Amino acid sequence: MDIIRTYLTTSRISQPASLRGKAVRHLELTSIRRLIPIFAAWKGLLLLIVLASPGPGYDTSTRILLDRQRGEHDSWFAFGLEYVLLRLTRWDGIYFASGSAHGQVYEQEWAFSPMLSRATSTVARVLFSPLPLPSIAKNALAGVLVSHLSHFLAVLVLYDLIHFVTPSTDLRKRQLAFTTACLHVVSPAGIFLSAPYGEATFAFLNLLGLLCYAHAIQNRFARFADAFQLDACWTLAAGICFGLATMIRTNGLLSGLIFAWDILTMLPRMQSILHTRDGEQITRFLATLTAGALVAIGFAAPQVFAYIGYCTNGNTRPWCSALPPSIYTFVQSHYWNVGFLRYWTLSNLPLFALALPVGWLMVASALPSILQTEDLNQAIAGPKQVDARSQPFPPPPQTSTREEKVFMHCLQRLALPQLVLVGLAATSFHVQIINRISSGYPVWYLMLAVQICVSGGWQEETGSEGRMGQRGSGVGEGDKSAGDGEEFVAGLFGLKKVKPEWVVRGMVTYAAVQAGLYASFLPPA
């Protein structure tokens, strides 16, 4: 009776069973809160490297901009803060800071997001107007603040995205999400995610759009009555995020391929859908179509504003008569010689070599994500624990769970923009920028994190201890399936002898060297 009374007490029933021992410690180690000190430490290290970099570099454009108002602001505080901003506002950061302070005055400044410039201009006016700094320095400071905040939010969103789509136990979800988020912290984009650039803001908005899309697909596979309405709402939210990301960086337009894929899969059934007046399918089709249109609007809106400013009231420029009249395409081609195969010169060969590692990681992770999704699902989810003694013979075929269907559906579509981006970077961009714009695409981070987790050992809730203290159990074919999954993941990037920790060390080293080169205004930062 005492035992029954113990198990039926209110306190016992109200407190659900919880993990203990090493499992609890693993939850603490993979908590999203641990990302905060890791993020702060990494940003602090990059800032120290930037501050320690020697001299003004061979280009003094930032110094000239700051010196224009030197007589008005000569306090020690202004000098100290300007010293920091001088080393963070380099290369294209000068255009972003200038556009934030004065707007898009010159034609070539339309290559850099007018939306981001207006956002940082608002931040500078609201938060930094009392500071004794030149206007350009206030706007540069606003850009630095927005980049840091955006990068931190991108890390949190990536953690949530991976935890949401991973088809496995909560411990595996946490381990994989935490590892992926840490990889984004030490991204090869490095100092560009701290400087007044658009990469961090783009990464945040693009990843947020992917998270919204994953929520849409979860509701798409749900069975309750209003699931299709939530699917439509989340799809539209994803379209809004992708549209805003496209206003920051035009490669956000590639995220529209996700909606194009969904539309193409629905087209063969459209006649039947319209004939039966299937409200759910029609709602889904219209929501997907609208979301894709929002992405296109994100690209077109800045072009329309530029056209009004440059191609009306008797004014004209060469691009005004083009079809379509895009100022972005014109200035990239006219001022920076961007175009198909224009970068394929012998002098640019070192830059192709510089972009090769990240480009290879992105291609080698995208292809299996599209073509071998079931194998990846098995490697991440782990073997299904089934007691062969309780199964009929022959055993029934195993079906994918809803969580696994969501994962496989999303993974293919998330990988497609990443794959196309590498192709465009290799043929039509300044190829080295792949090292920084890769920060907005999650699949290569995820695949590298899977390799790290598999090579280091998953943490499980039950069973005997394995490598690195993980606990697992298996019956029948479980151990064999686990071995097959590890073998598949080991060759994921086509380089079985290259350990994933070597890749991470290369990322950290590259980002640290890049910070010093960037602050000194030296290529190839």
Side-chain angles (χ1 to χ4, degrees), residues 27 49 85 118 148 198 221 237 255 359 362 379 381 405 410 441 449 460 482 491:
L27 291 179
I49 295 173
L85 294 174
R118 284 173 172 79
H148 278 79
F221 285 106
S255 297
M362 295 180 74
K405 291 178 180 177
C410 290
Y441 298 86
E460 303 293 357

Side-chain angles (χ1 to χ4, degrees), residues 56-75:
Y58 69 85
D59 191 301
T60 58
S61 301
T62 315
R63 179 78 275 165
I64 294 171
L65 288 174
L66 292 176
D67 281 344
R68 287 180 179 177
Q69 298 174 320
R70 168 61 52 211
E72 302 176 20
H73 308 285
D74 55 359
S75 66

